[in-house]
């Protein structure tokens, strides 16, 4: 599968949730995270400043994201880096897919929400796909 096909699968999901695995003190942790974008610029999501996920990625940025698309599973490994760009945060919280944040902004104020939101991007991840059809084949990695 090509890089373009992988991005097409990820972005074509009806429910843009990825499962993100991190590690803390040798203990793996997996949770569902709402994807913001996946393209040539990397895989982007956000979390809260006081969340365990943020703490875990600060201590160990290596992680693996898994996207379940029905027929395929796409797994991407790499490092997530904190994105410190206030304009990008504004773009994210004002995006139509983030309407759930609007009530919080009205209640807490834009500055408080911008301070709380922590944006992460995985650039140059390494992906592989899985399906029942190729269950016993060796993994073939694609650089994203």
């Amino acid at each position: 599968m090509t890089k373009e096909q992988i991005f097409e699968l990820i972005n074509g999901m009806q429910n843009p949730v990825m499962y993100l695995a991190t590690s803390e003190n040798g203990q793996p942790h997996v949770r569902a995270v709402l994807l913001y974008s996946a393209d040539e610029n990397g895989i982007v999501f956000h979390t809260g400043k006081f969340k365990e996920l943020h703490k875990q990625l600060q201590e160990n940025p290596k992680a693996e994201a898994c996207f379940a698309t029905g027929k395929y599973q796409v797994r991407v490994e790499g490092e997530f880096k904190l994105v410190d760009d206030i304009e990008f945060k504004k773009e994210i919280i004002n995006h139509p897919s983030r309407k759930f944040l609007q009530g919080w902004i009205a209640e807490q104020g834009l500055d408080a929400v911008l301070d709380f939101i922590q944006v992460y991007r995985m650039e140059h991840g390494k992906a592989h796909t899985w399906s029942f059809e190729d269950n016993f084949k060796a993994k073939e990695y694609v650089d994203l």
Side-chain angles (χ1 to χ4, degrees), residues 2 17-18 33 45 55 78 86 99 110 116 134-135 139:
T2 68
V17 170
M18 65 179 180
V33 177
F45 76 96
K55 177 184 168 206
I86 199 76
K99 287 184 181 184
L110 179 61
F116 181 79
D134 61 11
N135 190 28
K139 292 178 185 175

Side-chain angles (χ1 to χ4, degrees), residues 105-118:
I105 292 168
E107 181 181 298
Q108 299 292 320
L110 179 61
D111 289 340
V113 174
L114 289 171
D115 182 55
F116 181 79
I117 295 288
Q118 302 297 298

